[in-house]
Amino acid sequence: MKLHILGCYAATPRTFTNPTAQVLEIKNHLFLIDCGEGTQVQLRKHKIKFSRIQHIFISHLHGDHFFGLPGLISTFRLLGRKTALHIYGPKGIKEAVTLLLKLGDSWTNYPLIFHELTTKLPELVFEDEKVTVDTIPLDHRVYTNGFLFREKPADRKLNIEVVKKYSIDTCYYQNIKSGKDIVLDNGIIVPNRELTFEPPKPKSYAFCSDTAYMPDMVPQINEVDVLYHESTFLESEQHMAPKTKHATAKEAASIAKAANVGVLILGHYSTRYASIELFKEEAMEVFERVELADDGKSFDFH
């Protein structure tokens, strides 16, 4: 599981910072999460292959989280894309994007499929044989969702030396990897734990931006490997957080601690602050395992 931060600052793009966009590599998928202005430039800059992006998840319809989407959709068309593009986002995203395509007479030459979201409860929005994606309802000024990405458990690993010792035919290998015991010709049952090794623990990633402090999310994200949580403000501006429906670094750390997550990544910083290191310092007063997102930064989670 690898996370590429393309942009992680609040409100407006600047010459040296970009609004929210990130790419999650998980089980051979490249998922684009939010798409602020400049996202396609960042994709090129960091050599992420456009063609591998088949699913885009938009948290909400504030411009710093989706104004880059129409341009990216248009570029896909100019590049001759043929494969379908799925977009998951709040109701209204289809109208916003297709109006621009209509006015510019620039309909895509590939299937553009919208999955509009309305429920305020967690909802499974994507599933294949390897990964699930659920919404995480958030508390912001407009309808907003985070997204929870989970690997499905992998098959167990064959202990090939033991399997061969019992002269087990290869036709039974898949059953063994699926966790089944084996009955030998003489009637002896060989337990699966003797024939296999535990598979790697499935990884999980929770994306939570933008939101006010929201302890209600803790049960859903409990013990995720990685939590990205917005931290727009420091404690000196804590009074601004409730009215703008944003969170502080300390509040993000409180969520991480309550949920016992593996790692907390902070982002969505207000550009009023001189150094993002201040966010880490404040968060670590509550929770130790803190990383800072920054434009162009990647995190590799083995």
Side-chain angles (χ1 to χ4, degrees):
M1 186 171 74
K2 190 171 185 178
L3 181 67
H4 304 271
I5 305 296
L6 304 179
C8 63
Y9 288 80
T12 59
R14 298 187 295 170
T15 55
F16 53 94
T17 64
N18 292 275
T20 302
Q22 50 186 249
V23 170
L24 179 68
E25 289 190 54
I26 183 170
K27 291 293 186 182
N28 296 319
H29 288 289
L30 278 189
F31 292 134
L32 177 61
I33 310 169
D34 277 350
C35 191
E37 289 179 74
T39 293
Q40 61 177 307
V41 176
Q42 289 291 88
L43 287 168
R44 290 187 186 278
K45 182 177 179 181
H46 299 292
K47 296 179 171 55
I48 296 172
K49 290 187 177 179
F50 281 41
S51 59
R52 288 190 57 201
I53 296 173
Q54 297 180 15
H55 303 271
I56 300 176
F57 299 86
I58 302 297
S59 61
H60 64 295
L61 296 183
H62 281 162
D64 57 331
H65 292 261
F66 93 105
F67 276 179
L69 183 60
L72 181 60
I73 289 170
S74 178
T75 294
F76 279 140
R77 173 179 176 268
L78 295 173
L79 292 176
R81 183 186 181 105
K82 299 298 182 185
T83 56
L85 181 65
H86 294 261
I87 296 171
Y88 308 78
K91 183 175 177 59
I93 193 167
K94 180 178 181 179
E95 180 183 3
V97 171
T98 55
L99 177 60
L100 292 176
L101 299 179
K102 176 184 177 182
L103 294 175
D105 192 20
S106 54
W107 297 108
T108 63
N109 49 6
Y110 58 88
L112 182 60
I113 303 165
F114 291 90
H115 306 263
E116 293 198 306
L117 309 175
T118 58
T119 182
K120 294 187 178 180
L121 297 174
E123 177 183 16
L124 177 69
V125 293
F126 173 84
E127 181 177 20
D128 66 6
E129 67 278 4
K130 294 183 178 180
V131 180
T132 62
V133 184
D134 292 87
T135 59
I136 305 171
L138 300 177
D139 180 15
H140 195 41
R141 300 192 306 278
V142 296
Y143 175 74
T144 305
N145 287 299
F147 297 99
L148 175 59
F149 301 82
R150 289 190 183 276
E151 293 180 348
K152 290 185 175 180
D155 284 343
R156 299 180 67 82
K157 303 294 183 182
L158 287 178
N159 185 336
I160 198 66
E161 291 182 7
V162 176
V163 169
K164 287 183 175 179
K165 183 183 79 172
Y166 286 109
S167 301
I168 298 171
D169 192 274
T170 56
C171 68
Y172 295 106
Y173 282 8
Q174 187 55 52
N175 283 344
I176 296 171
K177 290 193 288 184
S178 298
K180 295 180 180 177
D181 298 335
I182 290 295
V183 181
L184 303 179
D185 291 340
N186 59 10
I188 293 175
I189 298 175
V190 184
N192 187 268
R193 64 179 179 275
E194 186 178 341
L195 300 170
T196 60
F197 301 108
E198 288 282 344
K201 178 180 175 289
K203 295 181 179 65
S204 52
Y205 174 64
F207 169 86
C208 297
S209 184
D210 301 8
T211 185
Y213 177 58
M214 189 180 171
D216 288 353
M217 75 171 71
V218 168
Q220 188 183 3
I221 65 170
N222 189 52
E223 295 191 344
V224 297
D225 293 296
V226 185
L227 167 64
Y228 175 93
H229 195 291
E230 78 125 280
S231 53
T232 305
F233 298 113
L234 296 175
E235 285 303 294
S236 54
E237 280 70 45
Q238 197 283 332
H239 62 282
M240 298 180 63
K243 64 184 179 183
T244 59
K245 294 288 188 177
H246 284 297
T248 68
K250 271 193 174 180
E251 289 172 338
S254 295
I255 296 293
K257 183 177 181 179
N260 191 29
V261 306
V263 177
L264 168 65
I265 301 177
L266 299 177
H268 201 265
Y269 319 109
S270 168
T271 54
R272 60 170 38 84
Y273 302 109
S275 171
I276 62 174
E277 289 295 328
L278 299 170
F279 291 86
K280 185 173 184 178
E281 291 172 10
E282 290 199 351
M284 288 186 69
E285 294 176 14
V286 176
F287 183 78
E288 290 184 356
R289 300 181 298 277
V290 179
E291 297 285 349
L292 292 174
D294 206 359
D295 295 5
K297 192 172 183 177
S298 293
F299 299 90
D300 212 335
F301 303 102
H302 297 290

